[in-house]
């Protein structure tokens, strides 16, 4: 059915399609990983910001304590 | 010959579909970044380790001499992105997606470590506050025993109660933050392990 010339072409096409599929999956995985990292960063930022606000407030209040 | 032409045509079609990954002329290994991660990436400098505040053992007052080497909260403002980083911007286009992932992982890991320093600093403030509160309570109690105006005493007691509540809030926030940091550190550690289970990034 296939001539001598077509066989290598089919082989190349097969390899290429597998490579493309893997590359796409790899890219999706990496993008997911990046989103996860971003979420962690946001979580750290908001947590520390919240603690800092409370601590800053308290720094002012401690001065008040000294005058009581 | 006809079949060869057909397959060549199909080959070209496949190449056209594969092209978006290769649009910027990079190899397939160097994948193009998606839009959602295309934002300004700034490598924040790691702040100087927070010096433990010098506790004034004599009176418990807040004063500048408690802060060693002039280190203060402002140095922690890198977390809010208010400090211009020394290292400058990272050109994301120079990296492959894998390299960018590694870079982000390291960046967030550093941030996590710095968060621990910041929490230590906040714990020091809490400690100073607790000690100042005890002293203030003692002063109020003495004043009460010395027969000071009950109305003034009552006001002071109310003030003390409010401040104590703030101290408790901060303590709770620190405990929660530590838990968040611990969980995130675990996640990052898992993410930094390669397929063989070896840690890529030291945490």
């Amino acid at each position: 059915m296939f001539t001598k010339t077509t066989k290598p072409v089919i082989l190349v096409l097969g390899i290429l399609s597998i490579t493309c599929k893997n590359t796409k999956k790899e890219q999706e995985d990496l993008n997911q990983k990046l989103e996860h990292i971003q979420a962690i960063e946001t979580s750290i930022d908001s947590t520390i910001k919240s603690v800092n606000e409370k601590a800053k407030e308290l720094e002012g209040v401690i001065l008040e304590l000294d005058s009581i | 010959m006809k079949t060869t032409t057909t397959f060549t045509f199909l080959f070209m079609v496949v190449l056209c579909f594969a092209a978006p990954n290769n649009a910027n002329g990079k190899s397939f290994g160097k994948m193009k970044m998606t839009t959602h991660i295309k934002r300004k990436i700034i490598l924040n400098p790691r702040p100087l380790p927070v010096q433990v505040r010098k506790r004034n053992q004599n009176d418990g007052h807040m004063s500048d001499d408690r802060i060693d080497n002039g280190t203060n909260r402002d140095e922690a403002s890198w977390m809010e992105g208010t400090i211009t980083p020394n290292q400058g911007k990272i050109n994301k286009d120079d990296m492959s997606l894998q390299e960018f992932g590694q870079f982000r992982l390291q960046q967030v890991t550093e941030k996590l470590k710095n968060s621990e320093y910041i929490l230590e600093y906040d714990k020091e403030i809490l400690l100073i506050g607790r000690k100042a509160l005890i002293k203030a309570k003692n002063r109020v109690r003495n004043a009460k025993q010395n027969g000071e105006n009950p109305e003034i005493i009552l006001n002071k007691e109310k003030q003390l109660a409010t401040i104590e509540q703030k101290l408790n809030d901060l303590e709770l926030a620190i405990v929660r933050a530590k838990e968040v940091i611990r969980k995130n550190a675990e996640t990052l550690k898992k993410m930094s392990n390669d397929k063989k289970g070896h840690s890529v990034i030291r945490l």
Side-chain angles (χ1 to χ4, degrees):
Chain A
M1 186 187 166
F2 296 112
T3 62
K4 271 184 182 177
T5 340
T6 51
K7 276 180 184 172
V9 175
I10 294 167
L11 193 70
V12 167
L13 279 174
I15 292 168
L16 196 72
S17 63
I18 290 166
T19 312
C20 288
K21 204 177 173 184
N22 285 345
T23 311
K24 203 179 173 187
K25 195 181 178 296
E26 201 182 331
Q27 188 169 6
E28 278 170 8
D29 287 348
L30 280 164
N31 278 332
Q32 258 184 357
K33 204 173 177 179
L34 281 168
E35 275 173 16
H36 202 167
I37 292 170
Q38 180 66 43
I40 289 173
E41 191 180 31
T42 312
S43 151
I44 296 167
D45 284 349
S46 63
T47 308
I48 294 298
K49 198 179 171 188
S50 147
V51 177
N52 274 353
E53 277 167 10
K54 285 188 170 67
K56 260 185 188 176
E57 196 185 345
L58 199 68
E59 270 182 312
V61 169
I62 290 171
L63 289 169
E64 198 184 308
L65 263 179
D66 291 339
S67 63
I68 293 176
Chain B
M1 193 64 197
K2 210 174 179 182
T3 330
T4 316
T5 318
T6 314
F7 276 113
T8 313
F9 174 72
L10 280 171
F11 180 72
M12 295 301 282
V13 170
V14 170
L15 269 185
C16 286
F17 278 111
N21 278 339
N22 208 12
N24 53 2
K26 289 179 179 176
S27 65
F28 283 108
K30 301 255 178 189
M31 288 172 285
K32 202 181 169 190
M33 281 177 204
T34 50
T35 322
H36 72 282
I37 53 164
K38 280 194 173 183
R39 60 182 192 85
K40 273 187 183 177
I41 301 301
I42 294 169
L43 179 63
N44 286 310
R46 186 173 180 156
L48 294 170
V50 175
Q51 302 294 321
V52 176
R53 282 169 161 243
K54 280 184 181 174
R55 184 79 182 97
N56 189 332
Q57 299 293 334
N58 301 325
D59 56 6
H61 287 227
M62 283 288 280
S63 58
D64 290 340
D65 62 359
R66 285 192 198 164
I67 302 169
D68 202 8
N69 293 342
T71 308
N72 57 38
R73 176 172 296 283
D74 291 339
E75 285 182 1
S77 60
W78 65 277
M79 289 293 290
E80 294 150 26
T82 53
I83 289 176
T84 312
N86 300 328
Q87 287 93 330
K89 290 169 192 171
I90 294 294
N91 191 356
K92 61 193 181 309
D93 293 331
D94 291 343
M95 296 179 184
S96 70
L97 198 58
Q98 286 95 332
E99 285 167 343
F100 183 69
Q102 280 299 309
F103 161 72
R104 289 286 290 141
L105 204 57
Q106 277 174 329
Q107 196 184 32
V108 177
T109 306
E110 279 296 301
K111 197 171 236 190
L112 203 71
K113 285 177 186 170
N114 286 320
S115 304
E116 286 175 349
Y117 282 125
I118 292 166
L119 282 185
E120 284 303 311
Y121 183 91
D122 291 335
K123 266 171 76 180
E124 279 297 314
I125 293 169
L126 183 70
L127 190 71
I128 291 167
R130 288 267 182 231
K131 288 185 178 176
L133 180 74
I134 291 169
K135 288 183 178 179
K137 274 184 174 176
N138 286 339
R139 282 196 297 274
V140 172
R141 195 173 53 231
N142 289 339
K144 205 174 183 179
Q145 282 168 357
N146 294 336
E148 242 186 59
N149 188 339
E151 202 177 326
I152 294 171
I153 297 290
L154 193 68
N155 277 339
K156 283 182 177 180
E157 280 175 344
K158 275 181 186 171
Q159 263 181 296
L160 289 177
T162 313
I163 294 168
E164 193 168 12
Q165 188 55 51
K166 284 183 197 291
L167 282 163
N168 292 341
D169 288 348
L170 179 64
E171 192 169 10
L172 193 66
I174 290 172
V175 171
R176 281 179 182 162
K178 279 195 164 187
E179 185 58 20
V180 170
I181 285 175
R182 191 189 61 77
K183 279 183 182 171
N184 283 332
E186 273 177 17
T187 316
L188 283 178
K189 203 171 181 178
K190 275 179 197 165
M191 286 175 89
S192 68
N193 285 345
D194 61 14
K195 282 174 186 171
K196 289 173 186 170
H198 300 134
S199 184
V200 179
I201 295 167
R202 282 184 64 198
L203 284 171

